[in-house]
Amino acid sequence: MQAKDNTLCLTKRKPKWLTLRCIKLTSTESVFYSPANNLKGSSALIVIYKIGLTSKTMQYIASQSNHPATVFLKQNEITKRHCNIRWFNQTSEIKRCGHGTLAAANFLIKYFGYCPEVFISMSNERFTIRVKKQRAQLLLKSIEPKKSELAKGELQSVFSLAIKAAYSAGENNGYTVVLFNEEFNKEFNKEFSKEFSKDVEKDDLKSLHADFKALSKLHKNAVIALSIKNKDKKNAIANFRYFAPQFGVNEDSATGSAVSVIAPLLFKLHGLNKAKLIQQSNNGALLSYEFSNAKVVIY
């Protein structure tokens, strides 16, 4: 199906940049939400353009958006198997963005009935899309983190809780996962209701405080705070939060790309190859994944 000729704008107000001739259409799309559990997930502004849209203009458009990510796709590529993709937040270009990629894929499926098989980032990373029941699933290569005493030392003063262990993947623009001295392997309360909605009410990471200024000065990686709630392989649940002031985002509301690090770590520590992840940001988010052969499917 071909893209419509008229600009499709599902945003509430029409900013001046929308009048640019190179803008074909725009829309917003949300992912990782769960109304039943009062989790709002995250949204992205999708911008499909013809030609002639510069990086500077992309950044300007993103700076005018109130969405955590603005996604840019070229019109003549969205019908192909491979499609280039770029993501920006209000201050800078994003190196990798799982929630923005899924949002873009779901938008294309919903409104045009098609979606590229692979989105390719500026760093040539491949973001493979699978479609199941008319919803997109994101396939990423896993990133294996290693235990890091250096990262642990750098981050001790950043958080309100003492760090038990830190695992890092990449020294620059990578990820660090931190676990705290509150019992990480604490057995899930068997008396607790099996209903997932009540699991969401567990509040272990919401009270965690992070010093964003200190984090941006002391550490070069984005930081994921992680806590396992249920180690049962059939019903595994973990909570996490994502901090990246170094990249213009103090705390992200819903972070798909972080699962590429979380999944192999949970497998390493607890033998889990799938789990539900609750991102305990202010909005909250629900992510599910499956981990196999060094690849992670996120949905």
Side-chain angles (χ1 to χ4, degrees):
M1 183 183 296
Q2 295 298 316
K4 297 179 181 178
D5 290 335
N6 296 325
T7 297
L8 170 64
C9 181
L10 303 185
T11 51
K12 291 183 179 180
R13 61 188 181 88
K14 294 184 178 181
K16 291 182 179 179
W17 58 260
L18 194 56
T19 63
L20 293 172
R21 292 183 179 181
C22 59
I23 302 296
K24 182 65 178 180
L25 60 88
T26 69
S27 184
T28 60
E29 189 75 22
S30 295
V31 292
F32 303 142
Y33 54 87
S34 175
N37 298 297
N38 197 30
L39 301 174
K40 297 179 181 179
S42 189
S43 61
L45 173 64
I46 316 299
V47 179
I48 297 179
Y49 65 99
K50 300 175 185 177
I51 58 173
L53 194 63
T54 66
S55 298
K56 184 177 180 180
T57 304
M58 289 180 185
Q59 183 60 75
Y60 170 73
I61 293 172
S63 73
Q64 302 301 300
S65 169
N66 59 358
H67 301 284
T70 300
V71 185
F72 293 91
L73 304 172
K74 191 176 291 187
Q75 181 190 1
N76 65 359
E77 294 181 352
I78 59 176
T79 56
K80 298 179 180 179
R81 291 181 61 192
H82 295 175
C83 176
N84 291 308
I85 188 168
R86 296 178 73 175
W87 320 272
F88 289 76
N89 60 30
Q90 281 76 10
T91 61
S92 58
E93 186 163 7
I94 303 171
K95 184 178 180 181
R96 62 200 311 260
C97 182
H99 105 264
T101 304
L102 272 176
N106 281 323
F107 165 74
L108 293 174
I109 293 167
K110 184 187 301 182
Y111 289 99
F112 302 108
Y114 59 74
C115 177
E117 295 178 10
V118 179
F119 289 99
I120 302 174
S121 73
M122 289 289 285
S123 61
N124 290 319
E125 183 177 4
R126 296 167 65 89
F127 292 73
T128 301
I129 298 297
R130 295 177 178 176
V131 180
K132 187 174 183 179
K133 295 180 179 180
Q134 291 301 300
R135 295 293 294 176
Q137 297 182 345
L138 177 61
L139 177 64
L140 290 176
K141 290 183 179 180
S142 64
I143 302 173
E144 186 74 33
K146 297 181 180 179
K147 197 167 186 179
S148 173
E149 292 299 326
L150 176 61
K152 179 181 176 182
E154 288 179 344
L155 295 170
Q156 286 288 3
S157 62
V158 170
F159 295 101
S160 57
L161 297 174
I163 296 174
K164 177 181 180 181
Y167 294 81
S168 286
E171 297 180 357
N172 258 334
N173 301 323
Y175 299 92
T176 294
V177 182
V178 291
L179 316 177
F180 298 96
N181 279 344
E182 289 186 351
E183 187 64 26
F184 180 72
N185 293 336
K186 190 173 183 180
E187 280 295 331
F188 188 74
N189 185 357
K190 294 181 181 179
E191 302 288 325
F192 197 61
S193 171
K194 293 183 180 179
E195 294 181 31
F196 176 66
S197 60
K198 293 188 177 181
D199 290 337
V200 174
E201 296 172 4
K202 299 296 282 183
D203 206 23
D204 58 313
L205 288 179
K206 285 187 178 180
S207 60
L208 176 68
H209 174 73
D211 184 334
F212 300 128
K213 288 184 179 180
L215 176 55
S216 62
K217 291 179 180 179
L218 295 172
H219 199 65
K220 295 181 179 180
N221 286 351
V223 177
I224 302 162
L226 180 66
S227 175
I228 187 83
K229 298 310 303 177
N230 184 359
K231 294 186 293 181
D232 178 74
K233 291 187 177 182
K234 292 183 179 180
N235 300 291
I237 299 170
N239 296 334
F240 78 104
R241 292 174 67 183
Y242 181 92
F243 307 101
Q246 311 93 320
F247 309 114
V249 181
N250 285 342
E251 180 169 4
D252 205 351
S253 55
T255 319
S257 58
V259 185
S260 60
V261 179
I262 294 173
L265 182 58
L266 289 180
F267 181 78
K268 180 178 181 178
L269 295 176
H270 302 294
L272 298 175
N273 58 12
K274 63 179 180 179
K276 291 185 182 295
L277 300 177
I278 305 164
Q279 190 159 347
Q280 293 188 308
S281 60
N282 286 336
N283 284 342
L286 172 62
L287 299 80
S288 297
Y289 76 85
E290 296 179 10
F291 173 64
S292 175
N293 298 321
K295 294 182 180 179
V296 186
V297 178
I298 306 160
Y299 51 95

